[in-house]
Amino acid sequence: MEKTCEAFVNELRLFVEAKPATVHLILHSWRQVNRPILLHSDIGDRFAELCAGHPEQELGACPLAAVASLCQEALLETDRAYFALRPNIGEWWFIAVHHETLDLSALAPSDYLAAKERLANGGRHEEWVLELDLNPFTRDLFKVEEAESIGRGIEFLNRRLSSRLFEERGQGHDRLLQFLRLHRYRERQLLLSEAIRDLASLRLALRNMRQALGRLPRETPLSEIMPMLHAAGFEPGWGKDAGTVADTMKLLLAVLEAPSPQLTEAFLSSVPMLFSVLIVSPHGWFGQSGVLGRPDTGGQVVYILDQVRALEREMSARLAVQGLPDIEPQIIVLTRLIPEAEGTTADQRIEPIAGTRNARILRVPFRQESGDLIPNWISRFEIWPYLERFAFDAARDVLAELGGRPDVIIGNYSDGNLVATLLSQRLGVTQCAIAHALEKSKYLLSDLYWRDQDSHYHFSCQFTADLIAMNTADFIITSTYQEIAGTDDSIGQYESYEVFTMPGLYRVVSGVDVHDPKFNIVSPGADDTIYFPYTETSRRLVHLEEEIDELIFGAGTGGDRRGVLRDRDKPLLFSMARLDYIKNITGLVEWYGANEALREQANLVLVSGHVDPAHSGDDEERMEIGRMHAAMDLYQLDGQVRWLGVHLPRPIAGELYRVIADHRGAFVQPARFEAFGLTVIEAMATGLPTFATCFGGPLEIIEHGISGFHIDPNHGDDAATRMAEFFATCRDEPERWEAVSHGALARVEERYTWRLYASRLMTLACVYGFWRYSTDLERAEARRYMEMFYGLQYRPQAAALVRN
């Protein structure tokens, strides 16, 4: 039986009674950190120092060692200490201990959050606080129990609902029958005609048709068997030939007879359900050229465009197998129209997406309350007042462009997910949420001290929008497990929304449950037409050799570049990212400059931001530019570091990775935190050994020592030493470089391709769409609750941004 919080507190009480002096010693050591809020590393590091200084007391074996291990956060008031313990992923205990009397007590989440609020408010207690509690709406919902199953929601849901649905005295069969009857493409009926009136007639028709088809060659085309199908009450959509039609019908009979998770998923994936997809991404400069590197514009644009191309290929392939090759799938990327487009295509209402047949970008402008268009770009932190009107206007345009409702709406980032929520509610469409990155995880204590940063970041709107979208989405896609649930020692991005407070605004005692079966891990990939192995010489872009050589080894300095590499024979250590605090490119330069061994082993090549601060319109980037120049001056790096302030077209970027591999170099991604790590995938897909942050997605992408290496951005000296040792080993043992390169290629092919991504995303949309129709997953009440939260909390906050 698992230990409860109460049982744990009782154990601590016994230890306190037996050794009060030891408890005072430990509590005193934590208070000596001299901060009101201690983090996991503070608690653990201080306790380890105390153990080393008092070996005779065997502190590591006492119950408070468990507190040091499990504690994610500690609050230190004058008379009490409060601890937030995480005994398991997604499970929280809160306890308090009096500094003098050592009285111990277990706390409710609201009591712990009240203590946090007092710290933020300078000791002042708030008499009344709005509490958000989703638990009453989800406590009866089937939930994943084992931490290992988090992120595999569709498997869990199919297992639970398949059996429950068909146990309801035939109601489940009737729902399935009605669901099949709904299938049509515009005015064209699919799957079943009115001739099949009930379940008995469906079973009989399926059996008879399977027998008839069994007498024909499997490759008999649909055109030859369609008259027979139509006479029996079947419409197109079962398959392209006699074999696929028979297979689909066999699956349905098996589901009707004895449903299982695998059969249910296989059948729902084989019937035509997705003809049009709406993808929402309002912020930034969404376009296909000349936009990357602009404010708020980077990896999400690449991700979505690659996603669109992969989805269209998968949708077309499935429709062909289903016997509907004449239906062209439609994909729209909904974004903002920016009249002052600065030479980009952001002022074009419709822009076809290259590499697709029917996918396009649809741009809708932001408008003032008066109806006037907002002409200029707006930071993603400032767009909240305009999203509701944007969603209202976009609904009309999307319906006109598609000729009807989309079959699924996919939101991206906080703003896109909020718009997807509004559109899903308005149109009655299945909603998928993709966060990519949640700002709450990037900025330490940004919820507690939201007032200090709200004038710039407006976290009051953003975190509220996140809560609404997370709780209204039918399913959520993440790139990695730890994006949802973190690790044994760190909190997941979504998990951080379970219990938190924004003093003076509201308190969340049950916000997001990572055990909810709506979470699914679907990792993206790299475009294999651009990012392919350096060894595939027949595909190499040899016409770019001179241009890339000049980029790396050119003599030109000033403007958009700095530094000239003196020694062309050294391997190249390469990094490419935005120049901001989180990406930590400046930190990488400082690590490199301070490590003589690494400077001796390799040159450093950077593609990041602008070299000239006058070319940047972003305050944070200008600050990082100053730090970069200061580091290069301090360590005199102009002969060993090549810094390029350019934004490379993707074909050049892909070939640049391969040229780095030709020089037996490596890629490094030094971010303080990385939600996924698309550049990590790109580098690995070309066969480039990769070093990447241990915080975020790369921890899962890379198998340390096999397909790359993890580095800790908080310990840059160790990271630089690890890179220097790798290059030294490869110099003496070239096969080591080859082994890691092969490991990277194998890892990408196994887990991180757009083909796998698109197939899984379509399956999820089909299955969740069915369960949404059949059961509503008991979420109607929660949706209504969040609508009220939107109206009473979000709308006034967003409106206040305009007034201020």
Side-chain angles (χ1 to χ4, degrees):
M1 182 176 178
E2 291 189 1
K3 186 182 297 183
T4 64
C5 182
E6 289 73 15
F8 181 71
V9 169
N10 288 334
E11 286 185 12
L12 289 178
R13 285 195 181 109
L14 293 175
F15 180 71
V16 168
E17 292 173 4
K19 295 189 175 183
T22 300
V23 177
H24 277 296
L25 172 67
I26 295 172
L27 291 177
H28 179 70
S29 73
W30 284 331
R31 291 180 66 81
Q32 283 186 314
V33 179
N34 202 28
R35 287 204 309 271
I37 300 178
L38 306 185
L39 304 180
H40 177 70
S41 57
D42 299 322
I43 294 288
D45 292 348
R46 189 63 180 159
F47 188 74
E49 292 173 8
L50 194 64
C51 291
H54 298 78
E56 74 286 351
Q57 295 198 32
E58 298 181 350
L59 299 178
C62 78
L64 279 175
V67 173
S69 174
L70 301 177
C71 185
Q72 295 296 318
E73 180 181 77
L75 315 176
L76 302 180
E77 287 189 326
T78 302
D79 58 343
R80 282 181 173 81
Y82 301 83
F83 300 92
L85 308 182
R86 184 174 175 258
N88 297 295
I89 288 173
E91 181 182 358
W92 290 89
W93 296 344
F94 303 100
I95 63 174
V97 57
H98 195 280
H99 288 305
E100 294 182 4
T101 66
L102 301 183
D103 287 340
L104 279 159
S105 58
L107 302 175
S110 57
D111 294 327
Y112 178 81
L113 295 178
K116 289 189 75 171
E117 290 157 6
R118 287 194 296 273
L119 286 176
N121 294 333
R124 180 175 56 84
H125 175 71
E126 297 187 27
E127 294 297 331
W128 185 86
V129 179
L130 172 64
E131 285 195 354
L132 183 71
D133 186 358
L134 272 294
N135 185 60
F137 302 105
T138 62
R139 60 188 171 202
D140 294 328
L141 183 72
F142 291 128
K143 292 182 181 179
V144 173
E145 295 184 6
E146 300 300 327
E148 292 77 9
S149 297
I150 291 173
R152 296 163 55 189
I154 198 63
E155 301 172 28
F156 176 86
L157 201 62
N158 277 339
R159 184 167 63 252
R160 292 302 184 95
L161 292 184
S162 293
S163 57
R164 192 184 78 166
L165 184 63
F166 296 103
E167 287 172 355
E168 298 177 356
R169 298 186 178 180
Q171 293 183 34
H173 297 96
D174 291 338
R175 290 174 189 166
L176 180 57
L177 178 60
Q178 294 303 320
F179 179 74
L180 294 175
R181 282 178 170 167
L182 287 175
H183 281 68
R184 62 180 63 230
Y185 177 71
R186 297 180 177 171
E187 299 304 316
R188 179 181 176 185
Q189 182 63 41
L190 302 175
L191 296 179
L192 299 179
S193 71
E194 292 298 323
I196 296 181
R197 301 177 301 279
D198 51 35
L199 184 63
S201 61
L202 174 61
R203 285 181 181 272
L204 180 60
L206 288 170
R207 293 191 196 104
N208 291 339
M209 186 52 57
R210 283 197 64 219
Q211 290 180 358
L213 293 172
R215 293 190 287 269
L216 300 174
R218 285 185 60 86
E219 63 274 12
T220 304
L222 180 64
S223 57
E224 294 184 19
I225 62 174
M226 198 61 235
M228 179 172 59
L229 289 169
H230 190 73
F234 296 107
E235 299 292 346
W238 294 93
K240 65 178 182 177
D241 53 30
T244 54
V245 171
D247 291 343
T248 305
M249 291 183 171
K250 180 181 178 181
L251 274 174
L252 178 54
L253 280 170
V255 169
L256 293 172
E257 183 67 21
S260 71
Q262 294 78 16
L263 287 173
T264 303
E265 180 173 316
F267 173 70
L268 292 173
S269 300
S270 67
V271 297
M273 293 173 61
L274 293 182
F275 309 103
S276 61
V277 175
L278 176 64
I279 299 174
V280 186
S281 182
H283 77 249
W285 300 76
F286 200 100
Q288 298 178 83
S289 62
V291 298
L292 295 182
R294 288 174 175 265
D296 295 344
T297 308
Q300 87 276 13
V301 174
V302 175
Y303 178 108
I304 292 171
L305 291 174
D306 284 347
Q307 176 194 55
V308 166
R309 297 182 183 103
L311 277 175
E312 188 187 66
R313 287 194 297 269
E314 181 67 18
M315 292 170 73
S316 297
R318 289 198 183 193
L319 287 169
V321 171
Q322 291 158 357
L324 302 169
D326 57 314
I327 296 179
E328 292 281 0
Q330 306 289 316
I331 302 178
I332 286 180
V333 176
L334 173 64
T335 191
R336 185 200 163 199
L337 185 144
I338 307 175
E340 295 182 3
E342 300 182 7
T344 72
T345 57
D347 59 346
Q348 296 180 14
R349 180 178 178 273
I350 295 288
E351 180 182 352
I353 294 177
T356 71
R357 292 184 298 194
N358 289 292
R360 56 227 185 254
I361 301 169
L362 169 64
R363 298 187 178 92
V364 175
F366 284 175
R367 294 182 182 273
Q368 301 278 9
E369 190 174 341
S370 63
D372 295 337
L373 270 66
I374 297 176
N376 54 298
W377 167 83
I378 299 175
S379 162
R380 72 183 189 276
F381 298 116
E382 304 286 343
I383 64 176
W384 305 107
Y386 312 108
L387 295 181
E388 183 175 311
R389 176 68 180 267
F390 174 79
F392 178 83
D393 293 342
R396 180 186 60 245
D397 288 9
V398 167
L399 291 173
E401 191 68 27
L402 291 176
R405 300 181 306 170
D407 297 304
V408 65
I409 299 175
I410 303 172
N412 294 272
Y413 283 90
S414 299
D415 52 309
N417 283 317
L418 184 68
V419 173
T421 293
L422 298 173
L423 288 169
S424 175
Q425 291 172 342
R426 189 177 187 85
L427 302 178
V429 175
T430 302
Q431 176 190 352
C432 168
I434 307 177
H436 295 284
L438 293 165
E439 303 288 347
K440 188 169 174 292
S441 300
K442 291 183 180 180
Y443 297 88
L444 186 63
L445 300 176
S446 54
D447 49 353
L448 185 63
Y449 296 107
W450 66 274
R451 290 189 187 95
D452 298 342
Q453 306 177 79
D454 212 50
S455 61
H456 179 71
Y457 291 115
H458 304 300
F459 290 141
S460 58
C461 287
Q462 183 160 2
F463 298 169
T464 305
D466 288 335
L467 279 169
I468 292 168
M470 291 172 190
N471 283 289
T472 56
D474 294 288
F475 66 104
I476 296 172
I477 283 179
T478 71
S479 298
T480 63
Y481 175 90
Q482 62 179 309
E483 188 178 338
I484 310 169
T487 66
D488 290 341
D489 297 320
S490 63
I491 304 169
Q493 292 186 62
Y494 281 95
E495 189 181 7
S496 74
Y497 282 79
E498 184 172 351
V499 179
F500 70 97
T501 182
M502 302 181 76
L505 201 59
Y506 55 80
R507 175 190 296 166
V508 179
V509 297
S510 177
V512 174
D513 188 345
V514 297
H515 295 91
D516 194 310
K518 68 170 59 180
F519 286 103
N520 293 271
I521 301 167
V522 186
S523 301
D527 187 339
D528 59 8
T529 66
I530 293 174
Y531 305 102
F532 54 85
Y534 76 99
T535 53
E536 296 186 12
T537 54
S538 63
R539 301 175 64 190
R540 295 286 298 266
L541 307 183
V542 293
H543 61 283
L544 296 176
E545 283 183 358
E546 290 186 10
E547 182 176 349
I548 291 176
D549 187 82
E550 196 280 331
L551 278 173
I552 299 173
F553 299 107
T557 60
D560 62 355
R561 60 195 67 195
R562 177 176 175 176
V564 177
L565 302 182
R566 289 193 297 263
D567 188 346
R568 292 180 60 113
D569 295 329
K570 287 183 181 179
L572 301 173
L573 183 63
F574 175 51
S575 192
M576 179 164 57
R578 296 191 312 273
L579 191 56
D580 60 26
Y581 174 80
I582 294 296
K583 293 299 183 182
N584 199 31
I585 295 297
T586 307
L588 171 62
V589 173
E590 292 168 348
W591 305 346
Y592 178 85
N595 191 295
E596 289 294 336
L598 182 56
R599 293 173 63 172
E600 179 66 27
Q601 293 291 336
N603 290 319
L604 179 61
V605 177
L606 306 168
V607 176
S608 184
H610 294 282
V611 176
D612 185 346
H615 295 163
S616 174
D618 184 90
D619 291 342
E620 185 174 323
E621 184 181 56
R622 284 196 292 268
M623 185 181 300
E624 292 298 307
I625 291 171
R627 285 185 59 200
M628 284 277 283
H629 284 297
M632 291 191 69
D633 291 341
L634 175 65
Y635 295 107
Q636 301 180 1
L637 297 176
D638 284 291
Q640 295 174 296
V641 174
R642 178 73 162 172
W643 175 18
L644 303 169
V646 297
H647 302 289
L648 301 177
R650 290 209 299 165
I652 295 180
E655 191 61 26
L656 178 57
Y657 281 122
R658 288 185 287 273
V659 170
I660 300 294
D662 292 337
H663 286 80
R664 287 303 185 263
F667 182 77
V668 56
Q669 203 267 36
R672 289 179 168 87
F673 177 83
E674 182 61 60
F676 178 60
L678 194 55
T679 55
V680 173
I681 297 295
E682 293 170 353
M684 292 171 66
T686 63
L688 198 55
T690 298
F691 295 81
T693 179
C694 62
F695 297 115
L699 187 64
E700 291 180 39
I701 296 171
I702 291 173
E703 303 160 293
H704 183 70
I706 299 173
S707 54
F709 304 92
H710 301 140
I711 56 175
D712 186 341
N714 297 316
H715 298 284
D717 51 348
D718 292 340
T721 297
R722 177 169 288 171
M723 288 182 268
E725 290 173 349
F726 172 75
F727 283 118
T729 300
C730 294
R731 179 193 59 205
D732 299 331
E733 304 170 20
E735 63 273 12
R736 177 58 176 155
W737 190 97
E738 297 285 351
V740 178
S741 174
H742 292 157
L745 292 170
R747 182 66 170 170
V748 169
E749 181 59 28
E750 174 194 12
R751 292 277 299 275
Y752 302 102
T753 70
W754 281 111
R755 172 181 48 80
L756 294 172
Y757 175 99
S759 176
R760 194 58 184 160
L761 176 54
M762 284 195 64
T763 296
L764 291 173
C766 291
V767 177
Y768 277 98
F770 171 69
W771 291 126
R772 186 178 198 266
Y773 169 82
S774 301
T775 69
D776 190 40
L777 298 179
E778 302 169 354
R779 296 189 191 275
E781 296 86 351
R783 287 194 181 97
R784 298 297 291 174
Y785 185 54
M786 297 316 295
E787 286 175 17
M788 182 173 64
F789 190 59
Y790 174 86
L792 299 179
Q793 192 68 46
Y794 173 81
R795 294 185 85 231
Q797 291 167 208
L801 297 190
V802 177
R803 292 195 297 269
N804 295 335

